Amino acid sequence: MNKYEVVFILRADLSEEDNKAIVSRFFDSIAKNGGLLTKIERWGNRKLAYLIDKQSRGYYTLWEVISDVTTIKELERLFRIEERVLRYLVVILQKAVKAEEVEAAKELALTLDTPPVTAEVAAVETPQAEAVSPEQAPAVVNEADNLSETKTETETTNQ
């Protein structure tokens, strides 16, 4: 079994019920074939970088899945068949997942009813740079001043 990251974009003009029905179909395919969801992030409606099928917005979803290759092939087949999927991408995160990780994922047992992680919650907080007093800051040497002093010295010696 491998660990995959799956990102797919659905049409933004879908109703909430249609969206849930499509996602449920994809999830059922994974569950039926023995795959496990380890992470669900619903990024929501976002502006696309360029038009796709005359659409300027899309509903983004990210999953991390532990499964075998045949499960992912079936999921990709469903993505290609479903007209309301604008784009999808499947990337292998880790080959040959250890049995301990699979067991931990089974205990976690994410379902579509699990409260999603939104993009705001998933964003990692970046540490703020500490303020440095002028005494602690390194001295900045102005290279232009050094060059002008050297130039005047050589001009006086050449005369």
Side-chain angles (χ1 to χ4, degrees):
M1 295 184 102
N2 300 326
K3 188 172 193 176
Y4 298 91
E5 184 175 72
V6 179
V7 179
F8 56 95
I9 307 171
L10 299 175
R11 294 174 62 102
D13 58 357
L14 295 174
S15 68
E16 189 68 30
E17 295 82 31
D18 289 341
N19 191 337
K20 285 183 180 181
I22 294 169
V23 171
S24 176
R25 202 169 103 199
F26 298 149
F27 176 77
D28 291 343
S29 169
I30 292 171
K32 180 180 76 173
N33 293 316
L36 301 166
L37 273 176
T38 60
K39 181 179 184 181
I40 300 172
E41 287 185 18
R42 294 182 184 105
W43 295 345
N45 283 327
R46 301 223 172 174
K47 187 174 184 323
L48 301 172
Y50 54 89
L51 291 178
I52 301 174
D53 295 337
K54 299 180 183 177
Q55 299 289 314
S56 63
R57 299 190 68 78
Y59 187 87
Y60 285 72
T61 304
L62 176 131
W63 288 346
E64 281 187 11
V65 179
I66 296 178
S67 70
D68 57 357
V69 176
T70 56
T71 303
I72 296 300
K73 294 281 186 197
E74 175 63 17
L75 182 63
E76 288 179 331
R77 187 185 74 79
L78 290 174
F79 284 149
R80 284 191 301 272
I81 290 172
E82 181 59 59
E83 294 176 355
R84 295 171 285 190
V85 173
L86 298 175
R87 289 284 189 274
Y88 69 90
L89 178 68
V90 178
V91 179
I92 296 177
L93 291 179
Q94 180 181 357
K95 288 190 174 192
V97 176
K98 297 177 184 172
E100 298 88 33
E101 289 183 51
V102 174
E103 290 303 318
K106 284 181 182 177
E107 289 176 14
L108 185 61
L110 287 182
T111 64
L112 291 180
D113 297 330
T114 304
V117 177
T118 60
E120 293 80 26
V121 174
V124 177
E125 292 183 18
T126 56
Q128 297 294 326
E130 294 181 21
V132 178
S133 67
E135 295 83 29
Q136 295 173 332
V140 178
V141 177
N142 190 349
E143 294 295 325
D145 291 342
N146 291 342
L147 291 176
S148 63
E149 290 175 9
T150 308
K151 184 177 177 183
T152 56
E153 288 175 8
T154 53
E155 287 176 356
T156 55
T157 56
N158 288 342
Q159 292 176 354

